[in-house]
Amino acid sequence: MTDPWVALESGADPAERTRVLRRAHETFTEAGTVARPVRSVVAASWRRSARAGVGPDGTASVEIADGDLDAVRAEHPLARVMPLFRELMGTFAADGSHLLAVCDAHGRLLWVEGHAATRRRAGRMNFVPGARWAESAVGTNAPGTAVAVDRPVQVFAAEHFIRRVQPWTCAAAPVHDPRTGRVLGAVDVTGGDGLAHPHSLGFVQAVARAAEAHLALLAPEPPAFDALRLTVLGRDEALLVADGRSIRLSRRHSELLVLLSRRPEGLTGDELLCALYEDESVTPVTLRAELARLRGVLGPALLASRPYRLTVPVESDLAVVERRLAAGAVTAAATAYAGPLLPVSRAPAVARIRDRLADELRAALTARRDPDLLADWAHTPWGEDDVEVWRALAAVRPTATVRSRLAALESELAAP
């Protein structure tokens, strides 16, 4: 496959592909092995489905009763973009005998709309509002898998894990909170074999991006001085925006802002000494002098003492990446990661945060096995010697260039 996220290559015979997939599905459900024609994204999803205890003859369960559905919908952030979804996809779904579906981050369908006859058919497999279509509940399916892997994905015919869903084809894309990167849910189009065309995947992805842009416009702008904005990734000296001013901080002040921004309750002088200085002979007087200079930069109203703390919230690019990783939004986290935290800092606490963030993001990227994300990391200054990422990239994109670079890195590691 030229694109592992697209279900059918151009010119492929859907009927023949379906027959091959059914044989592969039977082989997997009987012996637990995946045949070669199965796409890597589908094979990984089948394995997750099996580990979750999903059976091929299962069915979706309805978790939100009709009486509760309106309230759940009204409280969900994607309710604000349902008019946009209907405008962009409603005619496409109705004219093509397809369905427009929107699920939450737990894979629960909140809206299922479109062609009336198609809705009745889908209802027989519980593809209805309120039903849970998470991958862990019903196995491989576009909305559930898109949420699970945080990527737009097509699922064609017998790629579905549950047999009763195999007559269908669907394409879905996750939708993120534009401020935090958190996955809010997914938008999906479900119908027949015609949806296996690459255009359907691009279509739902474009709709998801339009929804995120619309949510960003609807979100209230933050007050001008209710928060400090701190940029610390990929920079030796932090950039602080406060009250409309852009301030380039010294290296020590950059470290102090990182530590104080993460502890709104404050830090004592002793805690800051341990966090900042490798040399235990540094005295509290030295630290107090640094804090006095920082107070002069920020203004006396922003830095309090006993304990030392910032008096307004701080939004940092570091916190954005951490939140996105915690929410499972790996693509959004990697996009926001501009490089290691204060790369030249030797402050013990800063080094621990820097290493932990890089390790967690690297682990998420190698687990995701997305060749584009891995390549983006591998071709950065901080990733060019990252042998773990090059090995993962070679496994999913074994080009001559990638194999050559990996061989060179492994040779360097093996050298005495």
Side-chain angles (χ1 to χ4, degrees):
M1 304 296 295
T2 56
D3 184 344
W5 302 93
V6 174
L8 285 182
E9 291 180 322
S10 178
D13 180 0
E16 176 57 25
R17 180 69 177 164
T18 299
R19 285 192 291 272
V20 170
L21 286 170
R22 281 178 179 159
R23 289 195 297 269
H25 183 270
E26 292 304 317
T27 298
F28 180 79
T29 55
E30 292 172 5
T33 57
V34 181
R36 180 175 293 274
V38 178
R39 292 184 292 151
S40 58
V41 62
V42 173
S45 177
W46 282 1
R47 294 187 184 102
R48 289 194 301 270
S49 303
R51 287 197 299 270
V54 180
D57 296 313
T59 189
S61 60
V62 176
E63 291 192 354
I64 306 174
D66 287 344
D68 299 325
L69 195 56
D70 286 343
V72 173
R73 286 169 168 168
E75 293 174 0
H76 198 274
L78 292 182
R80 306 176 77 188
V81 289
M82 275 308 297
L84 178 68
F85 287 149
R86 293 182 180 114
E87 179 182 352
L88 295 177
M89 299 180 68
T91 302
F92 173 79
D95 292 350
S97 299
H98 306 318
L99 298 178
L100 156 65
V102 177
C103 72
D104 65 12
H106 304 290
R108 299 179 303 183
L109 298 177
L110 300 182
W111 291 271
V112 179
E113 302 177 358
H115 192 270
T118 308
R119 286 188 65 184
R120 287 193 294 271
R121 285 180 53 221
R124 293 196 284 271
M125 61 177 184
N126 263 2
F127 195 82
V128 295
R132 184 165 178 250
W133 278 75
E135 190 184 75
S136 59
V138 293
T140 308
N141 71 94
T145 300
V147 168
V149 302
D150 192 17
R151 278 291 302 261
V153 62
Q154 282 179 324
V155 179
F156 168 70
E159 290 180 334
H160 289 92
F161 194 77
I162 290 182
R163 292 189 180 96
R164 71 179 61 195
V165 190
Q166 291 179 351
W168 299 82
T169 293
C170 44
V175 182
H176 303 89
D177 184 310
R179 293 201 178 277
T180 67
R182 179 172 61 92
V183 174
L184 299 175
V187 59
D188 165 83
V189 59
T190 288
D193 290 351
L195 289 177
H197 195 282
H199 289 172
S200 68
L201 185 63
F203 177 51
V204 293
Q205 185 172 11
V207 170
R209 298 296 82 78
E212 291 170 352
H214 193 61
L215 287 170
L217 291 173
L218 292 175
E221 285 296 318
F225 193 61
D226 276 1
L228 305 174
R229 294 201 302 277
L230 187 65
T231 304
V232 291
L233 296 179
R235 301 178 59 94
D236 295 334
E237 296 176 330
L239 181 67
L240 177 71
V241 177
D243 196 20
R245 298 177 298 150
S246 293
I247 307 166
R248 183 173 178 173
L249 300 173
S250 71
R251 293 183 181 181
R252 186 61 77 194
H253 289 171
S254 301
E255 294 165 346
L256 280 165
L257 260 292
V258 166
L259 299 177
L260 292 172
S261 69
R262 299 170 68 82
R263 292 286 293 275
E265 73 278 11
L267 291 161
T268 66
D270 287 343
E271 288 173 326
L272 281 172
L273 275 173
C274 293
L276 285 172
Y277 298 101
E278 294 179 295
D279 186 353
E280 295 182 1
S281 67
V282 175
T283 66
V285 174
T286 301
L287 175 63
R288 286 198 293 270
E290 286 289 0
L291 286 161
R293 285 191 283 269
L294 179 59
R295 185 178 283 111
V297 171
L298 299 179
L302 295 184
L303 179 59
S305 57
R306 298 184 181 178
Y308 295 106
R309 64 193 185 280
L310 298 169
T311 59
V312 296
V314 177
E315 179 61 30
S316 71
D317 54 350
L318 167 64
V320 168
V321 174
E322 289 179 321
R323 283 198 304 268
R324 292 180 178 182
L325 270 179
V330 179
T331 302
T335 301
Y337 186 77
L341 166 67
L342 301 179
V344 300
S345 173
R346 299 180 64 184
V350 172
R352 285 194 295 272
I353 299 167
R354 178 174 62 227
D355 292 345
R356 183 174 66 245
L357 180 65
D359 289 346
E360 290 176 354
L361 186 51
R362 180 189 300 106
L365 291 172
T366 53
R368 174 63 56 84
R369 293 173 59 83
D370 182 317
D372 293 329
L373 292 179
L374 290 167
D376 287 345
W377 179 281
H379 290 96
T380 60
W382 57 88
E384 60 185 0
D385 296 325
D386 193 329
V387 68
E388 291 181 29
V389 169
W390 281 99
R391 284 171 179 158
L393 179 58
V396 295
R397 184 174 284 169
T399 63
T401 302
V402 171
R403 291 198 302 268
S404 174
R405 178 59 182 157
L406 177 59
L409 286 175
E410 291 182 329
S411 177
E412 291 174 13
L413 286 175

